[in-house]
Amino acid sequence: MRIIFVGDSQAKKRKKRGVKRRGQRSHTFRSAIAVPQPARKGTGATTRTKGAGKKSRKQAPLSQATRTRTARTRAERLQRAQQAAGAPSAGILQQIRWRSAVWRLLAFAALVGLIVVIAFVSSDASFFVYREGTQILGTRYMPDDVVFAASGVNELNIFWIDPVEVARRVVALDGIRAARVRCDLPARVTIEVEEREPVVMWRAMSQDQDLWLDEEGIVLPYHGDVNSPDMVFVVDYGERSLQVGDQIEPEGVVQSTLQLAAALPGEQVYSYEPGRGLSFIHRVSSGEWPVYVGTSNDLARKIQVVQALTEYLVANSIRPRYVDVRWAEHPVYGKPEGNSLVGGN
């Protein structure tokens, strides 16, 4: 008797088609009776079994001491984590707050102390400048009281004085070339001035007045020493009107006069005319005659010509009516009356 198993007909059909499933074993016999298979992972039965096991394991309630230790452990871990991340701990925060309070207190105390000091130095009389506490140096012609009055430091607090501003006010005085100011505590001011030196007495005929000039031609408010051997005198025949602080025109005429006086010893009196310029009476052993110099242009050459002509005239006993070196390359001199004009090189 032949027993037909379930699935033979299907196997035959697959054999005919030549199809064989990959990874499936070939069975010679198949039972018609269903054989129970082992359960696979993840099936419902297994899940239910595990779930039932979990439900069966019930945790016992924790005691109070255990919960406290657990909370303390968590807090310590959190604190260590914060420290590792750079967050300040409660102790560090408390220390920072304390230091901040100390610094604020110190800053407030310093501010109060500064206010007290400012109030003291602003009101105490020992910090105010008076005439007896002011020293003025370098004055020879200008009175000290005039310099002190111009400085503007009288009854001022030493901390309110600007030395640069004081020097500027002093230099604004006529006759003062420069000034230096120094302030010292508690209330001492030193003013050192440089005066303009009077070197020329300029007689203005139009004003009938004698004016004193420095080497730059500035009219000074004070007089020099008329008996000084270095003093030079100039008589101005022009129509100009001069005041203190003005500068003589043309510029350089005073320096030219000083240069002539230095090169020609004994000649201290000069004249100035607007159309002719500088001139002087040249006095030598054989006589005297006027010398016309003119402007300051090429003055060194003019001085050389005057010196050379003087030697020639004295050597030849010539007393000219004048010598004109206004044009240094073509100097001339006038012979005495009855002789014609003679030129020179």
Side-chain angles (χ1 to χ4, degrees), residues 91-111:
I92 296 176
L93 289 174
Q94 184 68 20
Q95 188 177 7
I96 292 174
R97 294 191 190 99
W98 172 251
R99 288 182 179 178
S100 177
V102 171
W103 279 111
R104 290 177 184 175
L105 181 61
L106 291 176
F108 178 74
L111 179 61

Side-chain angles (χ1 to χ4, degrees), residues 135-139 147 170 176 178-182 190-194:
Q135 185 180 15
I136 299 174
L137 305 175
T139 54
V147 177
V170 172
I176 302 298
R180 290 173 291 276
V181 179
R182 186 179 71 252
T190 302
I191 303 174
E192 185 178 359
V193 300
E194 180 184 348

Side-chain angles (χ1 to χ4, degrees), residues 73-268:
T73 303
R74 290 178 179 174
E76 291 176 353
R77 290 177 179 174
L78 178 60
Q79 185 177 2
R80 286 195 297 270
Q82 290 177 349
Q83 292 178 353
S89 62
I92 296 176
L93 289 174
Q94 184 68 20
Q95 188 177 7
I96 292 174
R97 294 191 190 99
W98 172 251
R99 288 182 179 178
S100 177
V102 171
W103 279 111
R104 290 177 184 175
L105 181 61
L106 291 176
F108 178 74
L111 179 61
V112 173
L114 181 61
I115 293 174
V116 171
V117 171
I118 292 175
F120 173 71
V121 300
S122 299
S123 59
D124 191 85
S126 60
F127 292 99
F128 284 78
V129 178
Y130 299 97
R131 178 64 186 89
E132 56 272 15
T134 304
Q135 185 180 15
I136 299 174
L137 305 175
T139 54
R140 180 180 174 186
Y141 307 100
M142 183 76 68
D144 290 351
D145 291 339
V146 175
V147 177
F148 177 74
S151 67
V153 300
N154 188 36
E155 298 183 354
L156 279 183
N157 190 288
I158 190 68
F159 294 99
W160 301 344
I161 295 176
D162 181 6
V164 177
E165 178 62 22
V166 174
R168 187 191 64 80
R169 289 196 292 263
V170 172
V171 171
L173 287 172
D174 292 321
I176 302 298
R177 186 191 304 274
R180 290 173 291 276
V181 179
R182 186 179 71 252
C183 297
D184 300 304
L185 292 176
R188 186 172 183 81
V189 176
T190 302
I191 303 174
E192 185 178 359
V193 300
E194 180 184 348
E195 294 179 317
R196 294 183 179 275
E197 190 74 20
V199 293
V200 172
M201 192 185 77
W202 191 278
R203 173 164 292 182
M205 299 301 291
S206 62
Q207 297 176 256
D208 195 19
Q209 183 181 3
D210 290 339
L211 305 172
W212 290 86
L213 281 62
D214 72 343
E215 60 183 6
E216 296 178 3
I218 303 295
V219 181
L220 303 177
Y222 43 77
H223 292 181
D225 184 8
V226 294
N227 297 319
S228 172
D230 299 326
M231 186 58 59
V232 176
F233 302 88
V234 177
V235 180
D236 184 1
Y237 292 96
E239 299 297 327
R240 75 179 84 201
S241 178
L242 298 172
Q243 303 296 330
V244 173
D246 292 345
Q247 186 173 18
I248 290 290
E249 296 290 341
E251 184 179 356
V253 63
V254 172
Q255 293 181 352
S256 297
T257 305
L258 295 175
Q259 189 174 349
L260 283 169
L264 305 172
E267 303 298 342
Q268 291 182 285

Side-chain angles (χ1 to χ4, degrees), residues 295-344:
T295 64
S296 302
N297 297 333
D298 202 10
L299 184 62
R301 174 63 175 165
K302 292 177 180 178
I303 292 174
Q304 291 177 353
V305 172
V306 170
Q307 292 172 338
L309 275 177
T310 301
E311 292 179 0
Y312 172 78
L313 295 173
V314 171
N316 292 276
S317 301
I318 300 175
R319 296 179 59 184
R321 288 184 290 115
Y322 64 87
V323 171
D324 192 342
V325 294
R326 287 178 291 177
W327 298 273
E329 300 300 328
H330 303 283
V332 296
Y333 67 89
K335 285 189 174 183
E337 294 293 338
N339 297 324
S340 59
L341 184 69
V342 178

